Amino acid sequence: MQAENSSKDGGEPPAGNRFQALKKFSSAGRGYWHDVSDADWNDWRWQLKHRITTAKQLQKFIPTLTPEEYAGAKLANTKLALAITPYFFNLIDPADENCPIRLQVIPKLAETHTASWEMSDPCGEDSHSPVPGLVHRYPDRVLFLVTDRCAAYCRYCTRSRLVSNATGYDFHPEFDKQIAYIAAHPEIRDVLLSGGDPLLLSDDKLENLLSRLRAIPHVEFLRIGSRIPTFLPQRITPELCAMLKKFHPLFLSIHSNHPRELTTEVRDALGRLADAGIPLGNQTVLLKHVNDDAEVMKAHLQKLLMCRVKPYYIYQCDLISGSAHLRASVRTGLAIMEKLRGHTTGYAVPTYVIDAPGGGGKVPVSPEYVLSHNADRVVIRNFEGKIFEYPEAADGRPCGRPPERIEESQLV
Ligand code: SF4
């Protein structure tokens, strides 16, 4: 079944309308599951139980499945499991083998090819883990991996070594050890829960975990990283939101990559989270044929604002093994950023970052706006390419000549 916002005749909308078509909110629809009751369809546990997990199911639901995809799906469980919720599956265009949704969740044989520069742990997380399931890479914050399960699996996942347990990583988060480490390190003021997807934990289990973290006096700030709002918006229940709002300040970073992921169901789910006072950010991974196009990216970012989500990061795709076929170039990423800054609302412009290979942390990369900078002045260009000079400041005050020639009496 095709998403309702796709062109009905399978063709591209006229060029001038493409941007508006990308920004339209539509329901994912029911597709093959049209006879399922509303109660089941809107039940997140039903969605999880009925995920597409095998090559055979894929072939049944997508008759145009390519040999490359079929082979990828057969081999998926040796690398990163295949799982797609029925809800998210409905966003796939079965007539388009380059459908941006399809590319993100349907495996391809190319995943089994590892380039010499690719790694199983490209961000060096394991080498920065003082206890299993906790990554202490930055001075004042930690990444707390609470599960290895996700609602669906992204084929470019930077943690594919551990999520879904396809490669036998043997992930057993021991919350007691992780919490004891955080409690013993007063410099940790910020805890990011991730995984896997923390929102797959039951409300009770998540509440217990958040309560234990909130009881540590030096933990000022809690964050959850989750792809659930886009893979499984049914999970964002009023009960979950009511529970989360007890732990403010608590922020939530969602993960979405393409404007078609932002359906009416997702917008409603994000609205429930926002109404619970949870500040929302979005993380996007720059992916070839998915969002490596300035118009698609801009539509996505503007649509996020309409969902009350601040675009936070665009990530250059990590050097995870088997992801070369999905990786867009840094050149493309910079060209997209150039078409965002100044061309749309500043709130819609995220920071483009490369996670430095091997564990160097996030490094922001940006088109060059400072053309030269010396003791006297800064030469800058704006988004239209116009050049300007700004006098460098002396003692914090702008001046029009070299600071050393300024007498105190001349300063106003
Ligand atoms: S949801 Fe996140 S952790 Fe899970 S497969 Fe996707 S990128 Fe990986």
Side-chain angles (χ1 to χ4, degrees), residues 140-159:
D140 67 344
R141 53 206 184 274
V142 287
L143 172 66
F144 188 162
L145 304 177
V146 299
T147 173
D148 61 355
R149 302 296 141 143
C150 300
Y153 294 106
C154 312
R155 305 323 303 174
Y156 50 85
C157 177
T158 204
R159 270 182 221 128

Side-chain angles (χ1 to χ4, degrees), residues 80 149-160 163 194-197 226-228 231 255:
L80 171 67
R149 302 296 141 143
C150 300
Y153 294 106
C154 312
R155 305 323 303 174
Y156 50 85
C157 177
T158 204
R159 270 182 221 128
S160 54
V163 301
S194 185
D197 203 312
S226 174
R227 184 96 150 102
I228 288 276
F231 278 157
H255 172 179

Side-chain angles (χ1 to χ4, degrees), residues 119 121-128 135-139 141 158 313 315 318-319 353-364:
M119 298 166 250
D121 179 15
C123 299
E125 291 179 340
D126 288 347
S127 58
H128 289 93
V135 181
H136 195 174
R137 167 70 190 81
Y138 299 99
R141 53 206 184 274
T158 204
Y313 284 129
Y315 284 97
D318 289 328
L319 298 174
V353 291
I354 301 177
D355 232 316
K362 293 180 192 66
V363 180

Side-chain angles (χ1 to χ4, degrees), residues 191-194 197-199 206 210 222-226 240 243-244 250-254 281 283:
V191 177
L192 167 59
L193 302 188
S194 185
D197 203 312
L199 296 188
L206 195 52
L210 290 169
L222 296 169
R223 286 188 281 167
I224 296 176
S226 174
L240 174 72
M243 183 274 284
L244 292 175
L250 181 144
F251 282 42
L252 197 131
S253 288
I254 69 160
Q283 313 196 88

Side-chain angles (χ1 to χ4, degrees), residues 210 238-250 273 275-278:
L210 290 169
E239 295 74 26
L240 174 72
C241 296
M243 183 274 284
L244 292 175
K245 75 186 285 190
K246 293 192 245 170
F247 297 98
H248 286 315
L250 181 144
L273 288 163
D275 285 347
I278 300 168

Side-chain angles (χ1 to χ4, degrees), residues 115-289:
S116 57
W117 53 84
E118 291 180 335
M119 298 166 250
S120 63
D121 179 15
C123 299
E125 291 179 340
D126 288 347
S127 58
H128 289 93
S129 286
V131 296
L134 197 81
V135 181
H136 195 174
R137 167 70 190 81
Y138 299 99
D140 67 344
R141 53 206 184 274
V142 287
L143 172 66
F144 188 162
L145 304 177
V146 299
T147 173
D148 61 355
R149 302 296 141 143
C150 300
Y153 294 106
C154 312
R155 305 323 303 174
Y156 50 85
C157 177
T158 204
R159 270 182 221 128
S160 54
R161 71 187 185 285
L162 73 89
V163 301
S164 86
N165 200 27
T167 58
Y169 184 89
D170 202 22
F171 180 75
H172 290 293
E174 292 180 51
F175 292 174
D176 289 346
K177 281 191 185 165
Q178 290 156 312
I179 290 170
Y181 180 90
I182 294 166
H185 287 78
E187 73 276 18
I188 298 172
R189 42 163 289 285
D190 169 5
V191 177
L192 167 59
L193 302 188
S194 185
D197 203 312
L199 296 188
L200 277 190
L201 301 185
S202 68
D203 289 4
D204 286 349
K205 196 162 183 184
L206 195 52
E207 181 166 13
N208 181 271
L209 187 55
L210 290 169
S211 303
R212 293 177 72 187
L213 289 168
R214 262 282 157 261
I216 301 172
H218 54 264
V219 172
E220 299 169 1
F221 181 60
L222 296 169
R223 286 188 281 167
I224 296 176
S226 174
R227 184 96 150 102
I228 288 276
T230 46
F231 278 157
L232 185 62
Q234 296 80 1
R235 171 69 183 104
I236 311 301
T237 60
E239 295 74 26
L240 174 72
C241 296
M243 183 274 284
L244 292 175
K245 75 186 285 190
K246 293 192 245 170
F247 297 98
H248 286 315
L250 181 144
F251 282 42
L252 197 131
S253 288
I254 69 160
H255 172 179
S256 70
N257 297 320
H258 189 276
R260 272 206 348 236
E261 291 171 50
L262 302 174
T263 61
T264 49
E265 291 90 332
V266 170
R267 184 180 58 188
D268 291 349
L270 293 169
R272 289 192 287 279
L273 288 163
D275 285 347
I278 300 168
L280 302 170
N282 180 70
Q283 313 196 88
T284 290
V285 180
L286 180 67
L287 296 168
K288 201 171 174 178
H289 302 314

